[in-house]
Amino acid sequence: MSSDKFPLLQRKDERDTEVTWEDQQRINTFSKLNTRMERLEAEYKRQKTEKEYLDDLSMEIELLDEDLPVPYKIGDAFVMLPLEEAQER
């Protein structure tokens, strides 16, 4: 938005403006929807990053030697599993 189109009011130019109940409800609805959109965008970004990480991990697992066990994290510990079983999980 350009500042020419929506100039900020100077302190001396400010006036009390009456806001109708309907307008206030619209403002509240907009605020709620805008906040929800921002939360959803953040969640989308987080999940997109996680998907990229999982895709990279999947590609790495495919490149592993099938005869060697794969470290698989369960809680705070790593368990060595056969490649096929690690891919299923």
Side-chain angles (χ1 to χ4, degrees):
M1 286 186 227
S2 77
S3 60
D4 297 332
K5 193 171 186 179
F6 299 107
L8 295 176
L9 293 176
Q10 298 299 320
R11 199 63 154 148
K12 63 181 180 173
D13 295 333
E14 288 183 13
R15 289 175 255 141
D16 287 336
T17 303
E18 292 293 322
V19 177
T20 65
W21 186 84
E22 291 85 10
D23 287 341
Q24 186 62 50
Q25 295 307 310
R26 289 184 186 119
I27 292 168
N28 293 347
T29 300
F30 173 81
S31 178
K32 288 176 192 175
L33 291 173
N34 193 45
T35 302
R36 181 176 179 217
M37 182 183 73
E38 290 171 357
R39 266 186 298 150
L40 290 172
E41 285 175 342
E43 178 67 14
Y44 170 75
K45 184 177 178 182
R46 185 191 68 76
Q47 287 186 359
K48 183 178 176 184
T49 302
E50 184 176 348
K51 180 190 179 300
E52 290 171 359
Y53 170 73
L54 292 173
D55 287 344
D56 290 346
L57 182 61
S58 176
M59 182 63 72
E60 289 295 323
I61 287 177
E62 287 178 13
L63 297 175
L64 292 174
D65 187 3
E66 292 182 14
D67 298 333
L68 298 176
V70 176
Y72 186 81
K73 186 174 181 181
I74 300 176
D76 292 335
F78 283 91
V79 178
M80 299 304 279
L81 296 176
L83 178 62
E84 201 172 293
E85 187 176 339
Q87 286 175 326
E88 289 173 5
R89 292 179 178 232

PDB file of all heavy atoms in Angstrom, residues 57-69:
ATOM      1  N   LEU A  57      15.001 -37.973   3.562  1.00  0.00           N
ATOM      2  CA  LEU A  57      15.291 -39.161   4.363  1.00  0.00           C
ATOM      3  C   LEU A  57      14.904 -40.423   3.605  1.00  0.00           C
ATOM      4  O   LEU A  57      15.651 -41.409   3.587  1.00  0.00           O
ATOM      5  CB  LEU A  57      14.542 -39.094   5.691  1.00  0.00           C
ATOM      6  CG  LEU A  57      14.770 -40.230   6.661  1.00  0.00           C
ATOM      7  CD1 LEU A  57      16.231 -40.315   7.051  1.00  0.00           C
ATOM      8  CD2 LEU A  57      13.889 -40.044   7.875  1.00  0.00           C
ATOM      9  N   SER A  58      13.762 -40.392   2.950  1.00  0.00           N
ATOM     10  CA  SER A  58      13.310 -41.549   2.176  1.00  0.00           C
ATOM     11  C   SER A  58      14.295 -41.868   1.050  1.00  0.00           C
ATOM     12  O   SER A  58      14.611 -43.038   0.805  1.00  0.00           O
ATOM     13  CB  SER A  58      11.921 -41.262   1.606  1.00  0.00           C
ATOM     14  OG  SER A  58      11.501 -42.303   0.779  1.00  0.00           O
ATOM     15  N   MET A  59      14.782 -40.832   0.402  1.00  0.00           N
ATOM     16  CA  MET A  59      15.749 -41.020  -0.685  1.00  0.00           C
ATOM     17  C   MET A  59      17.046 -41.630  -0.135  1.00  0.00           C
ATOM     18  O   MET A  59      17.620 -42.544  -0.741  1.00  0.00           O
ATOM     19  CB  MET A  59      16.047 -39.688  -1.371  1.00  0.00           C
ATOM     20  CG  MET A  59      16.996 -39.801  -2.538  1.00  0.00           C
ATOM     21  SD  MET A  59      16.374 -40.806  -3.883  1.00  0.00           S
ATOM     22  CE  MET A  59      15.131 -39.736  -4.535  1.00  0.00           C
ATOM     23  N   GLU A  60      17.484 -41.165   1.018  1.00  0.00           N
ATOM     24  CA  GLU A  60      18.702 -41.703   1.629  1.00  0.00           C
ATOM     25  C   GLU A  60      18.522 -43.174   1.995  1.00  0.00           C
ATOM     26  O   GLU A  60      19.433 -43.978   1.813  1.00  0.00           O
ATOM     27  CB  GLU A  60      19.085 -40.892   2.870  1.00  0.00           C
ATOM     28  CG  GLU A  60      19.607 -39.510   2.565  1.00  0.00           C
ATOM     29  CD  GLU A  60      20.917 -39.517   1.806  1.00  0.00           C
ATOM     30  OE1 GLU A  60      21.776 -40.393   2.062  1.00  0.00           O
ATOM     31  OE2 GLU A  60      21.076 -38.651   0.929  1.00  0.00           O
ATOM     32  N   ILE A  61      17.366 -43.528   2.510  1.00  0.00           N
ATOM     33  CA  ILE A  61      17.110 -44.929   2.887  1.00  0.00           C
ATOM     34  C   ILE A  61      17.124 -45.817   1.643  1.00  0.00           C
ATOM     35  O   ILE A  61      17.635 -46.931   1.677  1.00  0.00           O
ATOM     36  CB  ILE A  61      15.780 -45.055   3.659  1.00  0.00           C
ATOM     37  CG1 ILE A  61      15.957 -44.488   5.068  1.00  0.00           C
ATOM     38  CG2 ILE A  61      15.318 -46.497   3.732  1.00  0.00           C
ATOM     39  CD1 ILE A  61      14.700 -44.498   5.905  1.00  0.00           C
ATOM     40  N   GLU A  62      16.589 -45.313   0.535  1.00  0.00           N
ATOM     41  CA  GLU A  62      16.580 -46.104  -0.697  1.00  0.00           C
ATOM     42  C   GLU A  62      17.990 -46.379  -1.202  1.00  0.00           C
ATOM     43  O   GLU A  62      18.242 -47.402  -1.841  1.00  0.00           O
ATOM     44  CB  GLU A  62      15.771 -45.382  -1.777  1.00  0.00           C
ATOM     45  CG  GLU A  62      14.284 -45.404  -1.549  1.00  0.00           C
ATOM     46  CD  GLU A  62      13.510 -44.639  -2.612  1.00  0.00           C
ATOM     47  OE1 GLU A  62      14.089 -44.292  -3.659  1.00  0.00           O
ATOM     48  OE2 GLU A  62      12.320 -44.399  -2.391  1.00  0.00           O
ATOM     49  N   LEU A  63      18.909 -45.482  -0.887  1.00  0.00           N
ATOM     50  CA  LEU A  63      20.280 -45.637  -1.371  1.00  0.00           C
ATOM     51  C   LEU A  63      21.130 -46.537  -0.477  1.00  0.00           C
ATOM     52  O   LEU A  63      22.241 -46.897  -0.838  1.00  0.00           O
ATOM     53  CB  LEU A  63      20.950 -44.261  -1.486  1.00  0.00           C
ATOM     54  CG  LEU A  63      20.316 -43.301  -2.498  1.00  0.00           C
ATOM     55  CD1 LEU A  63      20.984 -41.940  -2.425  1.00  0.00           C
ATOM     56  CD2 LEU A  63      20.398 -43.859  -3.910  1.00  0.00           C
ATOM     57  N   LEU A  64      20.622 -46.911   0.687  1.00  0.00           N
ATOM     58  CA  LEU A  64      21.379 -47.741   1.619  1.00  0.00           C
ATOM     59  C   LEU A  64      21.502 -49.171   1.113  1.00  0.00           C
ATOM     60  O   LEU A  64      20.656 -49.666   0.369  1.00  0.00           O
ATOM     61  CB  LEU A  64      20.713 -47.745   2.994  1.00  0.00           C
ATOM     62  CG  LEU A  64      20.746 -46.432   3.753  1.00  0.00           C
ATOM     63  CD1 LEU A  64      19.932 -46.540   5.030  1.00  0.00           C
ATOM     64  CD2 LEU A  64      22.174 -46.023   4.075  1.00  0.00           C
ATOM     65  N   ASP A  65      22.540 -49.843   1.584  1.00  0.00           N
ATOM     66  CA  ASP A  65      22.772 -51.244   1.256  1.00  0.00           C
ATOM     67  C   ASP A  65      21.732 -52.097   1.984  1.00  0.00           C
ATOM     68  O   ASP A  65      21.525 -51.958   3.185  1.00  0.00           O
ATOM     69  CB  ASP A  65      24.187 -51.640   1.694  1.00  0.00           C
ATOM     70  CG  ASP A  65      24.555 -53.033   1.232  1.00  0.00           C
ATOM     71  OD1 ASP A  65      23.739 -53.661   0.519  1.00  0.00           O
ATOM     72  OD2 ASP A  65      25.663 -53.491   1.584  1.00  0.00           O
ATOM     73  N   GLU A  66      21.066 -52.986   1.278  1.00  0.00           N
ATOM     74  CA  GLU A  66      19.981 -53.785   1.847  1.00  0.00           C
ATOM     75  C   GLU A  66      20.461 -54.780   2.895  1.00  0.00           C
ATOM     76  O   GLU A  66      19.680 -55.234   3.723  1.00  0.00           O
ATOM     77  CB  GLU A  66      19.234 -54.526   0.739  1.00  0.00           C
ATOM     78  CG  GLU A  66      18.460 -53.599  -0.168  1.00  0.00           C
ATOM     79  CD  GLU A  66      17.687 -54.345  -1.239  1.00  0.00           C
ATOM     80  OE1 GLU A  66      17.529 -55.575  -1.137  1.00  0.00           O
ATOM     81  OE2 GLU A  66      17.251 -53.685  -2.186  1.00  0.00           O
ATOM     82  N   ASP A  67      21.730 -55.133   2.877  1.00  0.00           N
ATOM     83  CA  ASP A  67      22.249 -56.122   3.818  1.00  0.00           C
ATOM     84  C   ASP A  67      22.594 -55.513   5.178  1.00  0.00           C
ATOM     85  O   ASP A  67      22.676 -56.233   6.172  1.00  0.00           O
ATOM     86  CB  ASP A  67      23.499 -56.797   3.246  1.00  0.00           C
ATOM     87  CG  ASP A  67      23.190 -57.543   1.950  1.00  0.00           C
ATOM     88  OD1 ASP A  67      22.019 -57.970   1.791  1.00  0.00           O
ATOM     89  OD2 ASP A  67      24.088 -57.684   1.114  1.00  0.00           O
ATOM     90  N   LEU A  68      22.792 -54.210   5.237  1.00  0.00           N
ATOM     91  CA  LEU A  68      23.196 -53.567   6.488  1.00  0.00           C
ATOM     92  C   LEU A  68      21.976 -53.100   7.279  1.00  0.00           C
ATOM     93  O   LEU A  68      21.006 -52.610   6.710  1.00  0.00           O
ATOM     94  CB  LEU A  68      24.089 -52.356   6.195  1.00  0.00           C
ATOM     95  CG  LEU A  68      25.412 -52.646   5.494  1.00  0.00           C
ATOM     96  CD1 LEU A  68      26.121 -51.338   5.185  1.00  0.00           C
ATOM     97  CD2 LEU A  68      26.286 -53.538   6.357  1.00  0.00           C
ATOM     98  N   PRO A  69      22.036 -53.244   8.619  1.00  0.00           N
ATOM     99  CA  PRO A  69      20.930 -52.725   9.437  1.00  0.00           C
ATOM    100  C   PRO A  69      20.950 -51.193   9.455  1.00  0.00           C
ATOM    101  O   PRO A  69      21.987 -50.562   9.265  1.00  0.00           O
ATOM    102  CB  PRO A  69      21.211 -53.297  10.828  1.00  0.00           C
ATOM    103  CG  PRO A  69      22.653 -53.657  10.830  1.00  0.00           C
ATOM    104  CD  PRO A  69      23.043 -53.923   9.409  1.00  0.00           C
TER     105      PRO A  69
END
